[in-house]
Amino acid sequence: MALVSLRDISINFTGTVLLDKVSMQIEPGERVCLLGRNGEGKSTLLSVIEGRTAPDSGSVDYQRGCRVAMLPQEVPQELAGTVYDIAAQGLGEVGAHLAAYHDASRALADSPEPGQDLVDRLERAQHALEDAGGWPHHQTIEAVLSHLKLDGDDRFGSLSGGTKRRVLLARALVSGPDLLILDEPTNHLDIDSISWLEDFLLRQNAALLFVTHDRAFLRRLATRIVELDRGRLTSWECDYETYLARKDDALSAEARQNHNFDRKLAEEEAWIRQGIKARRTRNMGRVRDLMKLRQERGARRERVGSVKMVIQEAERTGKLVIEASHLCFGYSDTPLINDFSATVMRGDKVGLIGPNGAGKTTLLKILLGELAPQSGSVRHGVNLQVSYFDQLREQLDETRSARYNVAEGNDFVDLNGHRVHVMTHLKNFLFTPDRAKVPVGVLSGGERNRLLLARLFTRSFNVLVMDEPTNDLDAETLDLLEELLMDYSGTLLLVSHDRDFLNNVVTSSIAFEGNGRVAEYVGGYDDWLRQRPSAAPSQARSCRPKSEPERPEPARRKLSYKEKFELERKREELKAMPARIETLERALTALQERMSAADYYKYSGEVMADDQKRMEALESDLEIAYETWEELETALEGVELD
């Protein structure tokens, strides 16, 4: 029996039919990706399935006892409390006990002389948790917050919009629903967090319905693709590449059918307008058929045209664009960039890869001359004209209209030497006249991204810096932006967590690998994975001014006679560790591939539970193996065995 069944759902907003008598079902264990252009109504459909939005007509039926959790695209305004409090809300009453225990523990730790009332409060929370069996959920919350790089003690109201969405994602993940609905879950996540999220979702038995622009995320998770196009839903039982091919064939067939229909309608219209001779011999059945053709043509919803983007390239730079030599930058004892050197030449397309907070934006500012390094130097070439696509959309005035943000009150913009009306330019980015006049603050995330691109491409530049340009863009616009950047003859510096986008666009990658190590590699994200060092980078020294003398390396310790036997044993164990880790990783990869197969949801619950237990055991063994390897290397570091 289906978890959720939609029957003839219709929604009409201000004359625009978002959902036109759509029907669909979601089965237990399915992982369904919902695709569609920005503004088609994907978020509205998710809200209907969650039960937050009532349809104008139709019904939504749930399996008895079905629990639904959702990550919305917009952050609710009424939420308050700590990050841990919000995440625990997904567990209902147990979550309330967990939040009370967490708050009491924190208060007890912060109090220099805790009173008896505080101790009693903690004990009451502990007893309530024990009675509700909530301790395993506490561990789940802690693990999810850790992987999403969230501090449970932070106040929710003080966080940025992107961090708030990560908190809401944590709330949805810990709730353990039968159906998990995720609206753009990878926005504001770095690649490490996205990879962890993929693994986490593959291990769950819950059904999954998600919207995403991340094609690598889609390929790994989706067992079925459902497309929302012009108010109608179409289900595609195939992988993403097959969907693209079949969709293209379907659009071609639709275009041919519409062409034949329009030709027949034109012939009938010519016949009805013939003179007296035609009226004398008029067939009333043919007239009725013509009326039906007119109604059918009037009800047809045409597919909106594609985004049209053209880059205005300024006069070329010199051959050298940026030369960085021995850059160092950090905060106190935390090095972000340690002894990094690189040369960027005209036409290079460089991607910056690394976790959130690693220092990617800091390095961009240093390379562009906006921030001075603590040591090292940066040299620029000649005739650099830089344009910046910023991550936080700070270049948009949210109180002004889209039209004003692009043309700053003017009626025309200059595009490659031609004066173009601002409304014509905005139409190329799929803005209707009505949407072009509303304040930016009410636009969706995808519309804001398109608006920033429309503004960006009215400028001339030869160095383009893009910080997370792919958030909220639909797949079609993303493909077009990729093609545009691949054909761009200028220099590109790109920060992105979209693995496919990096693979398709950049020619080299600068990777932040931890402890201040920053290294350059040829190619995109997958090329970096193949080339990066297999072992974790060693601890880098903190950046110091050039005038400060280097500290001497500690002398290597000579083994005593009594230590030699034990360390010889450890050396043999260390030699065997890579093979053991490789065996565990192969077994884990094989199991993950089995669990992510398109037909895996058809297996029985017992098989899924056994696979889940085996997955957890393999992950535990692998973690222990890595810890043992690290301990052995530490024990043998600086020791002469001969």
Side-chain angles (χ1 to χ4, degrees), residues 62-102:
Y62 303 91
Q63 189 181 96
R64 183 183 297 274
C66 177
R67 293 174 296 115
V68 180
M70 178 174 174
L71 167 68
Q73 193 173 67
E74 300 296 331
V75 178
Q77 299 297 317
E78 69 276 6
L79 295 178
T82 66
V83 167
Y84 191 98
D85 294 340
I86 303 301
Q89 287 178 359
L91 295 167
E93 183 179 353
V94 173
H97 295 322
L98 284 168
Y101 171 77
H102 181 81

Side-chain angles (χ1 to χ4, degrees), residues 304-322:
V304 179
S306 299
V307 173
K308 300 175 183 178
M309 292 185 279
V310 178
I311 289 180
Q312 294 193 87
E313 295 192 33
E315 183 181 348
R316 293 205 309 175
T317 64
K319 188 174 182 181
L320 173 70
V321 177
I322 301 171

Side-chain angles (χ1 to χ4, degrees), residues 45-339:
L45 177 59
L46 297 185
S47 183
V48 169
I49 295 174
E50 184 199 12
R52 187 181 300 269
T53 299
D56 296 335
S57 62
S59 62
V60 182
D61 299 321
Y62 303 91
Q63 189 181 96
R64 183 183 297 274
C66 177
R67 293 174 296 115
V68 180
M70 178 174 174
L71 167 68
Q73 193 173 67
E74 300 296 331
V75 178
Q77 299 297 317
E78 69 276 6
L79 295 178
T82 66
V83 167
Y84 191 98
D85 294 340
I86 303 301
Q89 287 178 359
L91 295 167
E93 183 179 353
V94 173
H97 295 322
L98 284 168
Y101 171 77
H102 181 81
D103 292 342
S105 300
R106 184 185 58 179
L108 192 64
D110 293 343
S111 178
E113 296 181 1
Q116 186 60 40
D117 58 336
L118 191 55
V119 175
D120 293 341
R121 175 182 159 196
L122 181 63
E123 289 180 352
R124 286 195 301 270
Q126 287 177 326
H127 290 317
L129 265 182
E130 290 170 359
D131 293 341
W135 289 115
H137 297 295
H138 173 68
Q139 297 170 359
T140 301
I141 293 177
E142 293 288 352
V144 170
L145 294 182
S146 174
H147 283 290
L148 294 180
K149 300 178 175 60
L150 295 168
D151 186 338
D153 293 333
D154 286 344
R155 304 301 299 181
F156 183 78
S158 66
L159 303 177
S160 66
T163 308
K164 286 180 178 179
R165 268 183 53 84
R166 278 191 279 141
V167 178
L168 297 181
L169 174 59
R171 183 179 68 175
L173 294 179
V174 304
S175 63
D178 299 299
L179 173 61
L180 179 60
I181 303 175
L182 302 177
D183 196 349
E184 294 288 2
T186 62
N187 281 0
H188 311 290
L189 296 184
D190 56 35
I191 293 177
D192 290 341
S193 297
I194 293 172
S195 298
W196 170 83
L197 179 60
E198 290 174 347
D199 293 336
F200 182 91
L201 295 174
L202 286 172
R203 294 196 299 267
Q204 305 307 303
N205 294 329
L208 177 65
L209 174 63
F210 65 100
V211 173
T212 185
H213 67 271
D214 189 323
R215 291 156 293 181
F217 186 84
L218 188 163
R219 289 188 182 95
R220 190 169 181 205
L221 287 179
T223 59
R224 177 162 64 106
I225 293 173
V226 173
E227 183 186 34
L228 179 58
D229 182 15
R230 290 165 285 178
R232 299 296 182 92
L233 286 178
T234 306
S235 180
W236 307 82
E237 304 277 353
C238 58
D239 57 36
Y240 183 62
E241 277 69 25
T242 306
Y243 153 77
L244 292 176
R246 292 180 180 176
K247 176 63 177 178
D248 188 59
D249 292 341
L251 289 176
S252 298
E254 179 185 350
R256 290 193 299 270
Q257 182 179 355
N258 288 343
H259 174 73
N260 294 335
F261 179 92
D262 293 343
R263 184 175 60 184
K264 180 180 180 180
L265 177 60
E267 292 173 352
E268 294 301 296
E269 292 288 2
W271 170 79
I272 199 69
R273 284 191 287 269
Q274 287 180 14
I276 295 175
K277 180 180 178 182
R279 288 198 293 269
R280 287 175 182 167
T281 59
R282 182 172 300 161
N283 184 324
M284 295 310 297
R286 189 173 179 180
V287 173
R288 286 192 294 271
D289 290 341
L290 174 58
M291 296 302 106
K292 292 179 181 178
L293 290 176
R294 286 176 176 174
Q295 292 175 357
E296 186 176 346
R297 181 62 183 86
R300 182 200 299 173
R301 290 182 63 176
E302 299 289 354
R303 185 172 173 83
V304 179
S306 299
V307 173
K308 300 175 183 178
M309 292 185 279
V310 178
I311 289 180
Q312 294 193 87
E313 295 192 33
E315 183 181 348
R316 293 205 309 175
T317 64
K319 188 174 182 181
L320 173 70
V321 177
I322 301 171
E323 183 180 56
S325 300
H326 305 290
L327 297 182
C328 277
F329 193 90
Y331 299 100
S332 63
D333 293 330
T334 304
L336 295 179
I337 303 163
N338 188 69
D339 196 26

Side-chain angles (χ1 to χ4, degrees), residues 1-62:
M1 179 180 176
L3 278 177
V4 181
S5 297
L6 277 68
R7 292 185 175 87
D8 298 327
I9 298 294
S10 294
I11 287 186
N12 187 320
F13 284 164
T14 63
T16 301
V17 179
L18 290 181
L19 303 175
D20 187 7
K21 296 182 179 179
V22 301
S23 299
M24 69 174 293
Q25 291 184 333
I26 301 175
E27 301 290 339
E30 273 195 302
R31 298 191 296 272
V32 182
C33 180
L34 177 63
L35 295 182
R37 285 181 165 184
N38 295 135
E40 284 285 350
K42 300 187 297 296
S43 296
T44 301
L45 177 59
L46 297 185
S47 183
V48 169
I49 295 174
E50 184 199 12
R52 187 181 300 269
T53 299
D56 296 335
S57 62
S59 62
V60 182
D61 299 321
Y62 303 91

